[in-house]
Structure formats: C-alpha cells, structure tokens
Amino acid sequence: MAYVPRDRDEELTNLVRRAATDGGLVLVTGEPLSGKSSTAWSAMRDSLPGHRVIAPQRGADLRDLPVLLRGREGAFVLWLDSLESHLGEYGLDAGLLAQLAAMRVPVVATMRDEEYDVRRFSPSAGSSLLKKAATVELVCRWSEEELGRLSELAAQQVESSLADALHRRGGTGVTQYLATGPELWEEWWRARRATAHPRGHLLVRVAIDLGRCGIAHPVPVHAMDSMCKYYDAVGVERESLEDALAWATEVRYGVTGLLVSGPSAGTWRAYGSLIAEAERSEKTMAIPAGVWNEAAFGPFLPATQVRWLGLKAAAQAYYCPLAEAGDPTAMYNFAVAHSLSPILGGSRAAAEGWFRKAADAGLAPAARELGLLLLTQDEPEQAEGYLQIAAAVGDGEAAYRLGLSLGNRALRWLEEAARQRSPEVEGLSSELVALLGTAVRRPRPSRGEGPGRFID
C-alpha cells in the first residue's frame, strides 16, 4: 500500500539518522491502529537505505546479537515492532542497547501508548531503557495537512483504498479504516454460514447493498430486516433480530461495528470499508432488484434530491458496464436509472434510448416502458408497436394502454368520417360509438408506481 506522509516524518527521519551515527533507540508510540509500524518502517527505509534489517520474532533471545554481528560486513539496523514483546530477561535492555550503540547499530521500534506509559513511569525493568529512547508520538486523528496529502495521492489514483479511506471512513481515523477494513470484511463474509450469524450477515448485506445503491443516510433496522426477503439465505430463522443486530453492531478493534448507528434511534448504515470492499470483491453477488426499488421508492427515507442524485449515480455506475456489454435486463435497469426522478431532468432521451435497445433485444418490460414513454410524447403509432410486444406476452398494463391508444385513434377517425358524412358511419350503431367514446375518454388511471421498476 502506498505510504501517506505524516506530519512527524521529518522529525522521525532525523532521529533515525542520528541513531545510525551515534547509536540508540528510536521509538514510535501511539494509539492502537494509529500507523506506528508503517510510519516507523517508512522512516527507517528512507533514512537507512543501505542497512540490512534484523527483525527477530517476538520473544526471541537477543542477548547474543552483538556477538553474531561483530566482524560482519555491512551496516545493520534492529527492527522491533511491538517493543513490549522484545523486553525482559532475554530481550532488549539498557546494557544490550549500549553494546549495539557502540557497534553503530540503531534500534527502531514501536509501542502502544498504554504499554509505554506502564513501563516508562513505573519501577519496571524496562523503565531505564525507555528513558534513553528518542520518542515520536502518533495519533489516529489526522491533521488537515495529512488529509491534504492523502487527497493528493487519492487524486493520482495510486490505490483505490486511499480514496476510500478519505471519503468513507466516517468518524474513524484513516489508519483505523485501512487497518480494520479487510478484517471486518472477512468476519462479515464468514458469518453467512447457518451455524454462525446468518441473519446478522444478511442484515449487514442489506445495509451494504443500500450503500452501493447510493443511500448514504442511515436506515431503520425494521426496514433493513424487511428487505432480507430479497435474498436467498440459509438458516436466517435460527437467529433473532435482536441477536443479529447485537452481533452486527458490536464494536471491533475498539474502532467500529459492521453497522454504524445514525442520528436517529434505531437507524443504521454499513461501515464504509464494507461498501468499498463489496464494490471490488469477486465474492459479492448482484444487488437484488427489490433492494434497488426500496432504495428508490421505499418510504423509510424522504424523497429528497440528495437521495435521488446518489441513487441515480450509483445505478448508472452499476448497470452501465452490463448494459454496454449487451445485457437486455441491464439495459432496461440503466434506462430506469435515467428516468428515476423528474426533478433531475435531462435524462429522458437517454432513458428512451436504452429502453429501445432493451425492447429491440426482446425484453417485454422494456417494450412496455418505451411504449408508455412514447405515448407521453404523443407518438401513438410508434408506441402501439412496442405495447403490442409486451401485451402479447401477458402484460396487462401494456394491453390496457394499447387498447386505449388504438381506441382513441379509431374514435378520432370515425369522428372525422362522420364530419365527412361517410355513409359507413351512418350505419354504425350509435350505442357502439358511445361505448367506444366512453372507454377511451375516461381519465387515465395512475400507475401508482411513478417511473418503471428495476427488475431481476
């Protein structure tokens, strides 16, 4: 992973270079997951490019290290990540540090704040050693300057995870996001088994997919639970909603749960790294059309422009590659994404184009939607051809709208014939004309759905 420069890098680099000349211990302390190891390693790598790194296992016996190094060619540096595991009778102490300093072998180490405080400020065996260390302290919360450097690297598209950390970390730190993301994903994925947390897994899956649908706002848990019906899952009934939610919201690594609470009680969203990983992972299955429809039309969130914009952009990004690859269902859903909200505007032509492609590929729902769209544009002749395709395979709405359109046109021409005093019209039953006129001139019923729905 690309390293993002931290504010303390220059200070730390100078300390490591000085230790290489004079000997000594350079210690990076900080909160858990604050980036201690990556920062210390970066400084050591940049400051001592010609040094060979000695990295013993935790708890290894270090007492013979001076003997092993004496007389060997080249420069060496001792790397002790999590220094607390390298202290004690067989580890690093003030005496061993003095021997290494005499040999110009610097020691670069890391340590958690709480471990450092316990040993540094108590009469422990490590206290005298830590007093000799040159320390640099890191925190999880990044400065504006550090975030600016992260933004620059993200803009260069060095790694997608950097942009994700910048935009999806929520209230957690950058290093916390990067460190916990893979672990959270793996734990969530394995919980799908019937003997693990199948309902908790599914609850989080719904939240992840809503995030992939562009819904950034937390959603009520009952709404997420109701969407579980759109997925095929095993053993969900074995776990209660209460147990599933408790598992999904439990804080991991002192950082976050799989679900993050919203400002209103009982509302939740998926932690950002899960959504980012889902967009990249080969493990993730398709988002069910039912979830897309809930995201677009569900009553659990207000129908604001922010909601529409986020969902429209997500749907277009999700379906566009599939549509361009020739998938008729994706073409249809891509068209639906373009026609989601009249308040956005500017997408009618694109929607019509993709509905037409899907209809021409033989998808009946697309033929219906294109026919309805053409009717609103006062193009009944074109509309009827597509409505007939959908009606022929059992689409009741298409059949009804086709009948009304044909009836309207028939009545219009019959009336024109009457004005021309055609003898054929004079012989037409007045009852039939009245019935036809009543049928086609009644107010058009609302579909009750607005734009077309996503389909699987």
Side-chain angles (χ1 to χ4, degrees):
M1 181 178 295
Y3 177 73
V4 181
R6 304 292 298 273
D7 291 343
R8 306 296 296 276
D9 281 357
E10 183 177 357
E11 175 190 358
L12 181 56
T13 298
N14 290 335
L15 290 174
V16 173
R17 287 172 178 165
R18 187 181 307 157
T21 302
D22 303 332
L25 168 63
V26 178
L27 178 61
V28 178
T29 68
E31 302 168 291
L33 306 178
S34 58
K36 300 180 294 296
S37 299
S38 58
T39 301
W41 183 270
S42 177
M44 183 178 68
R45 178 198 61 201
D46 294 343
S47 305
L48 310 174
H51 283 58
R52 297 171 63 182
V53 178
I54 305 169
Q57 294 182 347
R58 296 183 179 186
D61 192 335
L62 304 179
R63 291 174 298 176
D64 293 334
L65 189 58
V67 176
L68 295 174
L69 294 179
R70 190 170 292 116
R72 299 187 65 175
E73 295 183 0
F76 297 88
V77 56
L78 178 59
W79 167 255
L80 300 178
D81 200 17
S82 298
L83 178 60
E84 65 274 11
S85 63
H86 297 283
L87 301 177
E89 182 180 359
Y90 303 107
L92 184 67
D93 57 20
L96 178 56
L97 181 63
Q99 293 182 66
L100 294 173
M103 301 173 67
R104 299 295 186 268
V105 177
V107 181
V108 179
T110 68
M111 199 176 215
R112 290 188 178 188
D113 281 337
E114 60 269 26
E115 296 285 352
Y116 177 85
D117 292 344
V118 167
R119 289 167 172 78
R120 171 67 175 79
F121 304 111
S122 64
S124 65
S127 178
S128 59
L129 171 70
L130 296 179
K131 290 177 182 177
K132 299 178 182 296
T135 61
V136 171
E137 184 179 356
L138 293 182
V139 294
C140 290
R141 183 178 179 84
W142 281 30
S143 69
E144 290 300 320
E145 290 76 13
E146 288 172 326
L147 292 175
R149 292 190 285 271
L150 172 62
S151 180
E152 290 175 3
L153 280 175
Q156 297 170 18
Q157 299 182 341
V158 176
E159 288 185 31
S160 60
S161 59
L162 297 181
D164 292 335
L166 183 64
H167 300 297
R168 301 189 188 226
R169 70 186 187 282
T172 60
V174 172
T175 49
Q176 291 174 317
Y177 176 96
L178 294 172
T180 61
E183 295 303 310
L184 294 175
W185 173 264
E186 191 63 22
E187 181 183 359
W188 169 74
W189 181 254
R190 291 186 58 80
R192 71 192 186 281
R193 305 187 312 278
T195 56
H197 291 280
R199 191 168 187 174
H201 171 89
L202 199 53
L203 204 62
V204 176
R205 171 70 187 275
V206 170
I208 290 172
D209 283 350
L210 285 173
R212 295 169 67 198
C213 290
I215 302 299
H217 199 279
V219 174
V221 66
H222 64 81
M224 291 193 294
D225 190 50
S226 70
M227 294 182 221
C228 291
K229 63 179 177 287
Y230 298 120
Y231 300 83
D232 292 326
V234 178
V236 174
E237 68 284 351
R238 300 177 185 176
E239 186 177 19
S240 68
L241 177 59
E242 292 73 18
D243 289 344
L245 186 61
W247 172 80
T249 58
E250 179 185 356
V251 175
R252 276 85 168 165
Y253 312 105
V255 176
T256 184
L258 302 174
L259 294 181
V260 181
S261 63
S264 301
T267 61
W268 303 88
R269 62 175 176 82
Y271 183 61
S273 69
L274 295 172
I275 301 171
E277 190 64 36
E279 293 173 345
R280 292 191 296 263
S281 177
E282 297 178 355
K283 294 178 180 178
T284 305
M285 296 177 288
I287 303 173
V291 174
W292 279 110
N293 288 323
E294 296 281 1
F297 311 110
F300 53 84
L301 289 176
T304 63
Q305 187 168 358
V306 172
R307 176 184 179 182
W308 286 108
L309 284 170
L311 190 139
K312 185 173 183 178
Q316 290 176 356
Y318 181 84
Y319 285 114
C320 181
L322 299 172
E324 291 183 340
D327 183 330
T329 301
M331 294 176 187
Y332 170 90
N333 288 329
F334 193 38
V336 171
H338 278 291
S339 61
L340 273 176
S341 174
I343 65 174
L344 299 180
S347 297
R348 180 183 290 268
E352 180 182 337
W354 284 105
F355 277 138
R356 191 180 299 277
K357 289 182 179 181
D360 291 345
L363 191 68
R368 178 196 65 225
E369 293 299 325
L370 178 58
L372 297 176
L373 188 60
L374 291 170
L375 284 179
T376 66
Q377 297 173 184
D378 199 24
E379 299 180 48
E381 291 85 355
Q382 284 196 57
E384 288 161 8
Y386 285 104
L387 290 173
Q388 185 171 355
I389 293 173
V393 295
D395 190 312
E397 181 179 11
Y400 176 67
R401 297 304 177 95
L402 174 62
L404 289 184
S405 181
L406 290 171
N408 268 310
R409 289 207 294 136
L411 183 59
R412 185 168 63 250
W413 286 113
L414 287 172
E415 291 173 340
E416 177 62 24
R419 283 195 294 271
Q420 300 295 332
R421 299 186 180 278
S422 170
E424 288 80 2
V425 175
E426 293 178 0
L428 191 64
S429 167
S430 59
E431 290 82 2
L432 178 60
V433 174
L435 177 63
L436 184 60
T438 301
V440 301
R441 285 175 176 158
R442 70 178 58 177
R444 175 175 292 182
S446 171
R447 298 178 61 191
E449 293 183 336
R453 286 330 202 220
F454 294 95
I455 63 174
D456 287 318

